[in-house]
Amino acid sequence: MSADAASLQVPPSPAVLAPCACDPARSRGRRFTEPEAPTRTAFQRDRDRIIHSTAFRRLVYKTQVFLNHEGDLFRTRLTHSLEVAQLGRSIARSLRLNEDLVEAIALAHDLGHTPFGHAGQDALNASMRAWATRQGSESDDQAGFEHNLQSLRVVDALEERYPAFDGLNLCFETREGILKHCSAANARRLMAQDPSGVARRFIEGGSPSLEAQLCNLADEIAYNAHDIDDGVRSGLLTLQQLEEVPLFDRYRRRALAAHPQLAGRRLLFESIRLMLSDQVYDVIDTTRDRLAAAGVDDVEAVRSRAPLVAFSATMREESQVLKTFLLRNLYRHPRVVETTGRARQVVADLFETYMQRPDELPEAHGRHPNRARAVADYIAGMTDRFAIREHERLCGAVLFP
Ligand code: MG
């Protein structure tokens, strides 16, 4: 350590951290032991490692709902992740939870997404499973592709930035938050490979930290709000249509009551802004009550019981109605479905092509003992536009002129 670094000190964690919050000084640690950083806590350091990763930079060219080339103003995986981090930090500060950890989890939560959003994931999963069935060698569950598991794989294995280990060597608490869902079979496989126990709760029950629970809800709040915005911007949704959604309509009326002349874009933005604020306040109030009632006073008590971060019953119901509306009117809109159909084709064609012509893979992927997994890792890492270009080059078809 240089003299300068030695004179620096990690600022103490906020004295105001709630007893049930994750304290970096009491982290379950990293998979590979490393000296502490002189000026940052373990969770700040995780956040910084994520921001400097290759996978994080790729998020800017990956689809959230609308394909990256469909317009410059639609959300991408990157801006979505930043919005989740903003909402998550805001809630965390009010509940005295660890903001740095929330930010790290939020920025990493979508690192494993394929190009073209869920359509890309579904296609890659189908290709992997079909291949495994043809081989008869792997169990179905191990053979598939799931973006959540892939996010963990990116930070544990695929990033190549450090001399001594693969991946980013993040803290247990950050990895715990990234692994949001996991099948029991995948959990058993992870447990066999990784003694940290990051997948244990999917076998033995229990919950992740409050910071991880918070990121799940912040994710939902973020995409519900920004998909309304992007939906109207794209012309696939109208303000009039949104009047049938009670949650949105309440804030539209409230915005109009305060500003009777408001119309068009400003009315949309003001309604969304009011809705976002109210959902944040709802989570804070509900969770504060639930924490008090549960009497949890450390992270282990949080982990041993059902999730405590939640919407009120009314907000949960209303949020569900909005989700259903978006599913019916936006995610399944014929124009969206038509584009995602072509996106599926690109991913399926790329998978078959690389399986038959491994010489087309970059060298490191080509050497991997499990070719299907290497191909999936390579495709999953692609941005939308790289996948489209690569598909044109290898398959000669122009699906996105
Ligand atoms: Mg997300």
Side-chain angles (χ1 to χ4, degrees), residues 137-176:
S137 58
E138 260 185 304
S139 84
D140 243 10
D141 219 71
Q142 287 185 26
F145 180 90
E146 203 275 315
H147 72 88
N148 212 249
L149 217 53
Q150 191 71 6
S151 295
L152 188 66
R153 192 166 155 75
V154 167
V155 301
D156 278 359
L158 297 181
E159 281 288 323
E160 296 177 319
R161 306 194 74 81
Y162 294 90
F165 46 76
D166 288 336
L168 303 178
N169 198 29
L170 302 180
C171 294
F172 175 88
E173 291 76 9
T174 309
R175 299 171 59 239
E176 172 190 45

Side-chain angles (χ1 to χ4, degrees), residues 28 32 37 64 73 95-96 112 147 159 199 303 317 327 366 369:
R28 285 194 187 176
F32 304 93
Q64 182 66 25
L73 293 176
L95 292 171
R96 298 190 295 137
H147 72 88
E159 281 288 323
R303 288 193 175 114
E317 213 169 283
L327 180 68

Side-chain angles (χ1 to χ4, degrees), residues 17 33 60 84 123 134 142 198 207 234 236 245 280 313 350 378:
L17 221 52
T33 309
V60 72
V84 177
R134 290 204 299 270
Q142 287 185 26
V198 76
S207 301
S234 67
L236 302 187
V245 182
V280 165
L350 283 177
Y378 186 49

Side-chain angles (χ1 to χ4, degrees), residues 5 9 12 24 34 42 84 86 92 112 170 189 218 220 223 237 249-250 262 267 275 282 312 319 332 339 361 396:
Q9 272 195 334
E34 291 184 73
V84 177
Q86 179 274 317
L170 302 180
R189 192 168 49 82
E220 177 179 337
Y223 64 66
L237 295 180
D249 198 49
R250 181 162 72 237
L262 216 52
L267 174 59
M275 185 178 88
D282 184 90
S312 64
S319 175
R332 288 188 189 154
T339 333
L361 289 168

